[in-house]
């Protein structure tokens, strides 16, 4: 199993600028990469753009070009302490001082035995709907007619994404890919369409299938030409939503691309608001049967059951991430892909996010990419939801569910449960004060689960309900996916949280 790591285009300079660093040396850059040496990371993806490229470009506007233009126009004045402005200044000054950040990282990654990639965000729209935001490109600002909702007033965040129906949009992103291939001698390039997957206006997705396939073919041709210049193979990867059906409904014919052999790596992934516990990795694996294509299961750092209103976004833990990694490994994933699992520069900030305390972070990166080690650790398999959608497809949100006298079921992928481990099913229940956990009948994989006890809310779980624990029989080998059934014959209850803890 491999471990793939995605480094955000702005994270490094953003966190360093926020911690008070005003200048970077080459040692700072190589020390950062050396921090990932001797972990399970096999592939390190350096994202080189948001809406604007974060490197020196020749023919298109870069983030430093925009910074200089704003500086000349006096638009930086009064915004010097804005985190985006501070981090952009640090990036631009570092590049101007002759330190080519990304190429220094690429060379260092090769020295420590990690495969360097570049990752291109194919439709990033950070702050796109804000009138005076710095991050959007001049291209998108000057051409509102190219937006997904360019034919009317945009009514939501994703409607500010660019529409690939327009040839000019496709040409822009081909230019970004071309400049990146010229600037960086990497071993692979990823097309990250999860920033953002909404690349066609509503009603244009079906016509977009052929358009996007032609665009992908042109991108492949650019990579093949770059291979001849560089003298070595450049792997191609793509990041897509959880299911091939959803991808197709959004205009992405992944099955056709698989059959044409366009990609060496396919990553299926949530967008951002929660890691997804039940992507159909097993189905993707069957699509890839007989193909020399790696399949990666993407984990995001955030975790939630169903994006409940009033709840703040919370970072997952090592146990919740290991749980999903074990499940996806058992379902056939070749790699685990970490998105937004980046380091924290300020130790004080890490205290509120225990996973990112230095020793915990390193142990995590030395465990999650090793199937044997991750299976041996304590882990939690939490039921979450899919945070991307397509018109005409039901959203996959297993919770909350109302439980009555019949049986309601929840699917919880766990991976293999070692014989020496104890497994418990935990549910968070909205019920009357006098209700007790023994009034719920629970089965896991057709075996009755005895009520164990009422417990305090587990870490990350909602704190305004009660939690009941039930024992899962592990005397025989359980399947890698548990289906839990619940019945409450005496009183209707509502389950908002469900997980299996393996210790």
């Amino acid at each position: 199993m491999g471990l793939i790591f995605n480094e955000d285009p702005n994270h490094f300079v953003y966190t360093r600028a926020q911690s008070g660093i005003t200048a970077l040396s080459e040692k700072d850059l190589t020390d950062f990469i050396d921090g990932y040496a001797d972990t399970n990371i096999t592939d390190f993806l350096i994202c080189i753009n948001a809406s604007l490229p974060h490197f020196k470009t020749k023919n298109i506007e870069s983030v430093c070009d925009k910074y200089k233009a704003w500086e000349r126009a006096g638009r930086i004045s009064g915004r010097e302490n804005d985190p985006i402005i501070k981090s952009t200044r640090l990036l631009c000054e570092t590049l101007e001082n002759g330190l080519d950040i990304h190429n220094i990282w690429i060379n260092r990654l090769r020295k420590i035995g990690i495969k360097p990639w570049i990752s291109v965000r194919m439709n990033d729209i950070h702050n796109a709907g804000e009138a005076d935001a710095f991050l959007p490109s001049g291209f998108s600002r000057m051409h509102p007619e190219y937006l997904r909702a360019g034919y009317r007033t945009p009514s939501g965040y994703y409607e500010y994404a660019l529409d690939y129906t327009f040839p000019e949009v496709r040409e822009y992103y081909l230019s970004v890919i071309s400049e990146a291939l010229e600037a960086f001698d990497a071993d692979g390039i990823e097309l990250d369409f999860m920033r953002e997957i909404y690349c066609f206006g509503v009603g244009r997705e079906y016509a977009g299938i052929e358009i996007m396939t032609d665009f992908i073919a042109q991108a492949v041709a650019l990579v093949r030409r770059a291979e001849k210049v560089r003298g070595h193979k450049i792997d191609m990867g793509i990041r897509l939503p959880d299911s091939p059906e959803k991808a197709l409904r959004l205009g992405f014919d992944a099955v056709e691309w698989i059959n044409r052999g366009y990609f060496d790596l396919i990553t299926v992934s949530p967008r951002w608001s929660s890691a997804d516990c039940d992507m159909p990795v097993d189905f993707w694996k069957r699509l890839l049967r007989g193909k020399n294509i790696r399949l990666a299961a993407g984990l995001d750092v955030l975790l939630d059951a169903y994006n409940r209103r009033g709840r703040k976004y919370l970072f997952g833990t090592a146990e919740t991430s290991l749980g999903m990694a074990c499940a996806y490994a058992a379902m056939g994933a070749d790699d685990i892909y970490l998105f937004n699992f980046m380091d924290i520069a300020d130790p004080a900030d890490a205290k509120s996010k225990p996973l990112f305390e230095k020793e915990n972070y390193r142990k995590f990166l030395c465990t999650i990419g090793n199937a044997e080690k991750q299976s041996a650790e304590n882990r939690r398999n939490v039921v979450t939801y899919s945070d991307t959608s397509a018109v005409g497809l039901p959203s996959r949100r297993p919770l909350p569910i109302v439980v009555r006298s019949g049986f309601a079921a929840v699917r919880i992928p766990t991976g293999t449960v070692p014989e020496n481990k104890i497994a418990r099913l935990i549910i968070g229940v909205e019920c009357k004060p006098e209700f007790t956990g023994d009034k719920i009948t629970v089965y896991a994989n057709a075996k009755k689960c005895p009520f164990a006890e009422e417990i305090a809310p587990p870490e990350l779980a909602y704190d305004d309900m009660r939690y009941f624990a039930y024992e899962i029989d592990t005397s025989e080998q359980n399947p890698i996916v548990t289906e839990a059934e619940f019945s409450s014959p005496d009183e209707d209850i509502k389950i908002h949280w469900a997980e299996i803890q393996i210790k």
Side-chain angles (χ1 to χ4, degrees):
M1 168 172 281
L3 181 61
I4 301 172
F5 186 92
N6 183 298
E7 172 67 20
D8 179 279
N10 199 41
H11 159 262
F12 177 78
V13 289
Y14 184 98
T15 53
R16 274 61 187 176
Q18 285 300 94
S19 66
I21 294 173
T22 57
L24 293 168
S25 67
E26 183 167 355
K27 186 176 186 301
D28 292 325
L29 300 176
T30 56
D31 282 353
F32 170 67
I33 294 299
D34 288 348
Y36 295 100
D38 301 319
T39 63
N40 292 152
I41 295 172
T42 53
D43 302 73
F44 194 103
L45 276 59
I46 304 165
C47 185
I48 48 79
N49 72 302
S51 179
L52 289 162
H54 281 55
F55 61 95
K56 287 185 176 181
T57 52
K58 294 180 179 179
N59 301 309
I60 52 178
E61 179 190 31
S62 73
V63 72
C64 291
D65 293 331
K66 183 166 186 176
Y67 183 87
K68 290 174 185 175
W70 272 40
E71 198 171 39
R72 288 192 297 271
R75 298 181 69 181
I76 299 296
S77 179
R79 299 178 62 162
E80 290 87 354
N81 290 322
D82 179 297
I84 294 297
I85 297 298
K86 284 174 66 176
S87 60
T88 304
R89 180 170 60 247
L90 182 58
L91 169 71
C92 299
E93 289 178 354
T94 304
L95 293 175
E96 287 172 0
N97 288 335
L99 294 177
D100 188 342
I101 297 174
H102 304 105
N103 273 316
I104 289 171
W105 285 350
I106 287 169
N107 293 333
R108 196 68 173 189
L109 285 163
R110 285 199 177 105
K111 285 184 179 179
I112 64 173
I114 296 176
K115 188 173 184 175
W117 292 59
I118 54 173
S119 176
V120 181
R121 292 188 177 180
M122 302 306 298
N123 209 345
D124 191 288
I125 53 172
H126 276 84
N127 304 126
E130 300 173 21
D132 196 34
F134 176 78
L135 289 176
S137 68
F139 175 77
S140 61
R141 287 290 203 219
M142 290 187 293
H143 295 287
E145 71 274 18
Y146 297 160
L147 303 183
R148 292 180 65 236
Y151 57 94
R152 57 171 171 78
T153 302
S155 62
Y157 182 74
Y158 296 120
E159 293 194 347
Y160 288 95
L162 291 166
D163 190 331
Y164 273 65
T165 301
F166 296 98
E168 294 84 354
V169 172
R170 304 195 297 275
E171 289 166 8
Y172 175 77
Y173 277 103
L174 287 171
S175 296
V176 175
I177 293 168
S178 179
E179 291 234 16
L181 288 168
E182 183 178 352
F184 307 115
D185 181 13
D187 292 342
I189 180 171
E190 176 194 59
L191 309 184
D192 184 359
F193 277 101
M194 293 307 292
R195 289 291 191 277
E196 299 292 341
I197 193 62
Y198 304 104
C199 290
F200 296 102
V202 174
R204 293 171 174 165
E205 299 94 343
Y206 202 80
I209 292 172
E210 186 176 343
I211 291 171
M212 185 57 74
T213 294
D214 180 67
F215 173 84
I216 294 296
Q218 292 181 68
V220 170
L222 289 175
V223 174
R224 297 294 171 256
R225 285 200 289 272
E227 287 178 331
K228 292 178 182 178
V229 173
R230 298 296 185 184
H232 62 79
K233 178 172 170 49
I234 301 173
D235 284 348
M236 282 198 72
I238 190 166
R239 197 161 75 104
L240 292 170
D242 55 304
S243 83
E245 181 183 12
K246 186 180 293 181
L248 186 64
R249 294 291 176 265
L250 292 168
F252 294 77
D253 192 353
V255 176
E256 177 66 18
W257 307 340
I258 289 168
N259 291 334
R260 293 191 187 187
Y262 282 164
F263 293 102
D264 304 282
L265 170 68
I266 292 177
T267 300
V268 295
S269 173
R271 181 193 173 269
W272 174 74
S273 57
S274 177
D276 186 345
C277 74
D278 196 16
M279 299 183 295
V281 165
D282 46 355
F283 188 82
W284 281 99
K285 191 66 176 177
R286 283 160 174 77
L287 284 179
L288 295 175
R289 188 174 288 157
K291 309 288 186 182
N292 187 27
I293 303 172
R294 293 160 60 190
L295 176 63
L299 306 185
D300 200 281
V301 74
L302 300 179
L303 186 137
D304 201 357
Y306 61 92
N307 204 10
R308 196 169 179 225
R309 288 185 179 180
R311 175 182 170 89
K312 294 181 179 179
Y313 292 109
L314 297 178
F315 280 55
T317 67
E319 289 185 348
T320 61
S321 300
L322 288 169
M324 289 189 188
C326 283
Y328 287 131
M331 293 167 74
D334 301 298
D335 304 278
I336 299 300
Y337 180 117
L338 300 180
F339 195 89
N340 280 336
F341 282 81
M342 297 164 292
D343 78 339
I344 290 177
D346 186 349
D349 190 26
K351 289 182 180 178
S352 63
K353 305 174 182 73
L355 173 58
F356 294 93
E357 289 182 347
K358 191 171 182 180
E359 291 184 7
N360 293 344
Y361 185 57
R362 183 161 186 84
K363 179 185 176 183
F364 174 73
L365 295 176
C366 290
T367 303
I368 194 167
N370 182 302
E372 186 176 338
K373 284 184 179 180
Q374 68 189 18
S375 181
E377 292 287 325
N378 293 342
R379 61 189 199 262
R380 299 167 59 193
N381 290 94
V382 178
V383 175
T384 61
Y385 70 108
S386 174
D387 67 351
T388 55
S389 59
V391 176
L393 283 182
S395 298
R396 179 164 49 79
R397 196 182 79 164
L399 297 174
I401 55 171
V402 175
V403 177
R404 300 186 170 94
S405 56
F407 279 88
V410 174
R411 174 183 159 95
I412 313 176
T414 62
T416 302
V417 180
E419 293 181 3
N420 62 337
K421 295 287 188 180
I422 296 171
R424 273 185 159 191
L425 177 61
I426 312 293
I427 54 174
V429 178
E430 182 183 337
C431 58
K432 294 179 180 177
E434 63 272 17
F435 189 83
T436 54
D438 56 2
K439 293 180 180 178
I440 308 173
T441 302
V442 179
Y443 290 90
N445 300 321
K447 294 181 181 179
K448 193 166 186 178
C449 299
F451 172 63
E453 60 180 333
E454 183 169 351
I455 64 171
E459 188 174 3
L460 306 178
Y462 308 125
D463 59 6
D464 58 348
M465 60 193 62
R466 297 166 64 195
Y467 287 83
F468 304 127
Y470 301 83
E471 304 294 343
I472 296 177
D473 182 1
T474 58
S475 60
E476 298 178 3
Q477 182 64 61
N478 284 322
I480 62 172
V481 175
T482 290
E483 293 189 1
E485 299 175 278
F486 309 95
S487 178
S488 178
D490 299 328
E491 178 185 324
D492 288 1
I493 62 169
K494 197 170 190 178
I495 298 177
H496 294 265
W497 185 272
E499 66 174 275
I500 291 176
Q501 295 184 355
I502 301 169
K503 297 184 177 182

